[in-house]
Amino acid sequence: IEPAIEPVIVVAIDMLTDRMGTYGLSDRAAGASLPGSSRFGPIGTRAHDYAQWLAGTLVPYIDSHYRTVPEASGRSMLGWSLGALQAFDMGWQYPELFGRVGAFSPSFWLPPSRAPGDERLAQAMVERGPRREGLRMFIAVGSAEETDDRDHDGVFDALDDALTLIRGGRDGERDLQGLTGLGYRVSLAYA
C-alpha cells in the first residue's frame, strides 16, 4: 500500500504554567515581545524569549537527534487559540525555519491595549510586511466559536479578525491590505 503522506515527526511541547505570558507575538528584529492586553491580563510578555528558545534551542536539538528535513519546507508549526497566535508568530518571524503554519481558532483579536478601536497586533505585523517567501498558512475558524461582534457588522469577531488578517479590509479607521495585499494567494472555504 502506498503511504498517503510522508512520515512525520511530531514534537508536542509541554507548555509552562504561564502560557498567557509565554504564547504571543514578538518582534525578532527588535528583540522584543509584543504584549497584548485582555480581560484576563497581559498576553505574550515573554513571547520573544519563548520564540528564541523554539528557534535557537528546540529546532536545532530536534534536527540533531532525529532524521528531519532541516529546512523551512520540512517544518510546520501548529497551534490552537493562543498557540495558533504563537504558530503564526513563528512562521512570520522565522520563515527560514518554519515554512508552514497551521493556526486553528487563532487569537488574532489580541490588541496592545484594551482601548476601543486599538489595532490588532497580528494584523499590524502583516501590514508592516514584507511577504515571507515560501511561507504557507492554513487558518481555520469555527462558526460556533463565539457570538461577540464588536463592530456590529454581523460577522463574529474571531472570523472577522482572521478575515482581516487574510484579505485586509477596514479595521476601525484604518484600511488594511492583509496577506492578499502582500501577494499571498488565498483560498477561502466556508462550510
Side-chain angles (χ1 to χ4, degrees):
I1 295 176
E2 188 74 24
I5 64 171
E6 295 286 326
V8 298
I9 298 169
V10 176
V11 178
I13 302 167
D14 187 16
M15 183 41 90
L16 302 171
T17 55
D18 178 26
R19 73 178 191 85
M20 298 274 289
T22 308
Y23 283 147
L25 299 172
S26 64
D27 182 335
R28 181 180 178 186
S33 298
L34 299 173
S37 181
S38 77
R39 65 178 184 232
F40 309 107
I43 295 176
T45 56
R46 297 179 56 207
H48 175 69
D49 295 337
Y50 184 58
Q52 279 194 306
W53 175 80
L54 282 168
T57 302
L58 185 61
V59 168
Y61 177 86
I62 298 300
D63 284 345
S64 69
H65 287 80
Y66 298 93
R67 276 189 12 215
T68 63
V69 177
E71 53 195 46
S73 63
R75 285 191 206 93
S76 299
M77 183 77 173
L78 310 172
W80 173 76
S81 191
L82 286 175
L85 188 67
Q86 184 69 49
F88 168 79
D89 186 64
M90 294 307 296
W92 199 254
Q93 296 298 323
Y94 296 88
E96 76 282 4
L97 292 180
F98 296 99
R100 294 181 188 97
V101 168
F104 306 93
S105 302
S107 296
F108 289 153
W109 53 265
L110 189 64
S113 75
R114 296 195 62 208
D118 207 351
E119 70 180 354
R120 308 282 167 237
L121 290 168
Q123 290 83 342
M125 287 172 73
V126 169
E127 289 307 299
R128 288 190 298 274
R131 174 188 167 106
R132 274 54 175 178
E133 292 303 324
L135 179 61
R136 298 177 65 190
M137 291 180 257
F138 179 85
I139 300 169
V141 177
S143 61
E145 291 195 22
E146 65 166 335
T147 57
D148 293 343
D149 182 9
R150 73 179 161 271
D151 60 1
H152 311 289
D153 66 353
V155 179
F156 64 94
D157 292 342
L159 180 58
D160 214 2
D161 293 332
L163 288 172
T164 302
L165 183 127
I166 294 166
R167 63 181 185 197
R170 195 93 173 130
D171 185 30
E173 299 298 315
R174 294 172 304 282
D175 286 318
L176 304 179
Q177 67 178 337
L179 294 169
T180 57
L182 290 177
Y184 284 90
R185 194 183 60 157
V186 173
S187 296
L188 296 173
Y190 301 93

